[in-house]
């Protein structure tokens, strides 16, 4: 069985001449993940930080979207070595690590994806889907080729350290989280605030200087397009649960009179 290096998000970003557009998959449902995989988007993010996903549901979603022409990233709830090992053994190839605030934390994430002597990943290829249960020749020596690592910049401390984080060998790119960044700047819920947008654009510029791709979350179409124009290589522009929430609200509004307090909150 060949080693499918072309499946990494790192290689997809290097091969494209436009920003890659994706969406969150937060429902925990393999059916919804498969539905989204066939939508024509470039990539999906299966989330376990703010969503009801565990190892078994992530595995089921990976299996459901396999074979569709879409790249899949998975975000664990925390930058933790044992959890990253489990995700990799499940067959996760593209990791998005949340709340990376320093070069040391970025280095720890890289080490978790590497076998010794270059890291601390536990060796269990005979038991793991990642190696197809040792059906992939030379998996142990070539595993790094199958993995891409993106780290999230979503606090003021991370913005201040972005150049050092980008310089860490093994970090393939960064992803900006304006919601947490806004909160870190004392601007909770104000993702569109000029200070937040300036911090995001600073990081986009730093990534360009470092020669690494940077992505951003932006559900507002105008903001997403502005960030793409500013150099974002990949963007998240929606979420399965948000689309369902807004769609069902719109359906209800067609047939049921509105109530004074029925306004929906702004999207993520």
């Amino acid at each position: 069985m060949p080693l499918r290096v072309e499946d990494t998000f790192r290689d997809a970003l290097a091969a494209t001449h436009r920003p890659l557009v994706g969406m969150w998959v937060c429902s925990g449902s393999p059916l919804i993940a498969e539905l989204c995989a066939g939508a024509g988007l470039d990539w999906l993010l299966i989330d376990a930080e703010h969503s009801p996903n565990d190892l078994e549901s992530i595995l089921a979603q990976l299996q459901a979207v396999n074979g569709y022409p879409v790249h899949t990233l998975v975000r664990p709830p925390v930058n933790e070595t044992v959890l990253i090992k489990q995700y990799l053994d499940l067959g996760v190839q593209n990791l998005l690590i949340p709340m990376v605030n320093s070069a040391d934390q970025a280095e720890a994430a890289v080490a978790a994806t590497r076998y010794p002597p270059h890291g601390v990943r536990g060796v269990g290829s005979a038991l793991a889907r990642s190696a197809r249960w040792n059906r992939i020749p030379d998996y142990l020596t070539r595993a790094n080729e199958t993995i891409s690592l993106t780290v999230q910049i979503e606090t003021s401390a991370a913005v201040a350290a972005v150049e050092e984080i980008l310089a860490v060998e093994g970090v393939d790119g960064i992803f900006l989280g304006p919601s947490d960044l806004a909160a870190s700047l004392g601007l909770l819920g104000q993702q569109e605030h000029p200070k937040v947008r300036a911090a995001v654009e600073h990081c986009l510029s730093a990534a360009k200087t470092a020669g690494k791709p940077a992505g951003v979350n932006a559900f507002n179409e105008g903001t997403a397009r502005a960030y793409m124009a500013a150099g974002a290589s990949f963007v998240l522009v929606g979420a399965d649960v948000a689309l369902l929430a807004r769609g069902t609200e719109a359906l209800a509004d067609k047939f049921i009179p509105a109530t004074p307090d029925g306004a929906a909150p702004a999207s993520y």
Side-chain angles (χ1 to χ4, degrees), residues 119-141:
V120 295
R121 179 182 176 186
V123 181
S125 58
L127 311 176
R129 180 174 179 265
S130 58
R132 298 302 185 266
W133 306 277
N134 273 350
R135 291 171 179 164
I136 295 178
D138 302 322
Y139 177 81
L140 291 178
T141 58

Side-chain angles (χ1 to χ4, degrees), residues 10 23 38 40 50 71 73 75 87 89 113 123 141-142 145-146 207 217 223 226-227 267:
R10 173 185 59 246
M23 67 176 289
H50 296 297
H71 293 273
L73 277 71
R75 181 171 73 170
Y87 277 40
D89 284 351
T113 70
V123 181
T141 58
R142 300 180 58 206
E145 299 174 42
T146 71
N217 188 68
T223 303
Y227 285 147
S267 291

Side-chain angles (χ1 to χ4, degrees), residues 39 93 96 118 123-124 138 179 205 214:
Q93 291 184 270
L96 177 65
H118 305 294
V123 181
D138 302 322
S179 292
S205 177

Side-chain angles (χ1 to χ4, degrees), residues 43-64:
W43 65 290
L44 304 177
L45 175 61
I46 297 174
D47 179 49
E49 184 182 13
H50 296 297
S51 305
N53 275 308
D54 58 16
L55 295 175
E56 289 188 1
S57 69
I58 291 169
L59 173 59
Q61 289 170 85
L62 291 174
Q63 291 169 330

Side-chain angles (χ1 to χ4, degrees), residues 9-10 13 73 95-97 100 106 110 148-153 162 165-176 203 207 210-215 233-234:
F9 196 56
R10 173 185 59 246
L13 287 167
L73 277 71
L95 283 164
L96 177 65
I97 305 299
V100 173
V110 173
S148 75
L149 178 68
T150 304
V151 300
Q152 279 200 256
I153 306 296
V162 68
I165 292 170
L166 283 161
V168 172
E169 185 178 355
V171 169
D172 295 309
I174 60 172
F175 184 79
L176 288 306
C203 293
K212 292 185 177 180
S233 300
F234 53 110

Side-chain angles (χ1 to χ4, degrees), residues 2-257:
L3 196 60
R4 299 180 63 186
V5 175
E6 71 275 14
D7 282 354
T8 67
F9 196 56
R10 173 185 59 246
D11 294 333
L13 287 167
T16 188
H17 300 290
R18 63 167 178 82
L20 299 183
V21 179
M23 67 176 289
W24 298 79
V25 177
C26 304
S27 66
S29 165
L31 180 63
I32 296 300
E34 184 174 5
L35 189 154
C36 295
L41 293 163
D42 297 308
W43 65 290
L44 304 177
L45 175 61
I46 297 174
D47 179 49
E49 184 182 13
H50 296 297
S51 305
N53 275 308
D54 58 16
L55 295 175
E56 289 188 1
S57 69
I58 291 169
L59 173 59
Q61 289 170 85
L62 291 174
Q63 291 169 330
V65 304
N66 186 49
Y68 284 86
V70 65
H71 293 273
T72 305
L73 277 71
V74 182
R75 181 171 73 170
V78 66
N79 181 10
E80 202 277 325
T81 299
V82 173
L83 195 58
I84 290 173
K85 171 182 65 177
Q86 291 179 303
Y87 277 40
L88 293 176
D89 284 351
L90 282 183
V92 173
Q93 291 184 270
N94 308 302
L95 283 164
L96 177 65
I97 305 299
M99 289 290 175
V100 173
N101 297 319
S102 68
D104 286 345
Q105 292 178 5
E107 289 170 356
V110 173
T113 70
R114 304 290 196 259
Y115 289 122
H118 305 294
V120 295
R121 179 182 176 186
V123 181
S125 58
L127 311 176
R129 180 174 179 265
S130 58
R132 298 302 185 266
W133 306 277
N134 273 350
R135 291 171 179 164
I136 295 178
D138 302 322
Y139 177 81
L140 291 178
T141 58
R142 300 180 58 206
N144 296 351
E145 299 174 42
T146 71
I147 299 165
S148 75
L149 178 68
T150 304
V151 300
Q152 279 200 256
I153 306 296
E154 45 188 341
T155 66
S156 57
V159 172
V162 68
E163 287 86 0
E164 291 82 6
I165 292 170
L166 283 161
V168 172
E169 185 178 355
V171 169
D172 295 309
I174 60 172
F175 184 79
L176 288 306
S179 292
D180 279 304
L181 180 54
S184 176
L185 294 171
L187 300 165
L188 182 64
Q190 300 180 59
Q191 297 94 306
E192 302 293 335
H193 193 282
K195 289 184 178 180
V196 178
R197 294 188 62 156
V200 170
E201 291 177 4
H202 166 74
C203 293
L204 294 176
S205 177
K208 182 177 180 180
T209 299
K212 292 185 177 180
V216 63
N217 188 68
F219 283 14
N220 179 287
E221 181 180 351
T223 303
R225 293 190 183 279
Y227 285 147
M228 287 190 280
S233 300
F234 53 110
V235 290
L236 287 172
V237 296
D240 55 352
V241 291
L243 290 169
L244 183 59
R246 302 295 85 80
T248 52
E249 289 159 5
L251 182 65
D253 287 344
K254 287 183 179 180
F255 298 99
I256 300 173

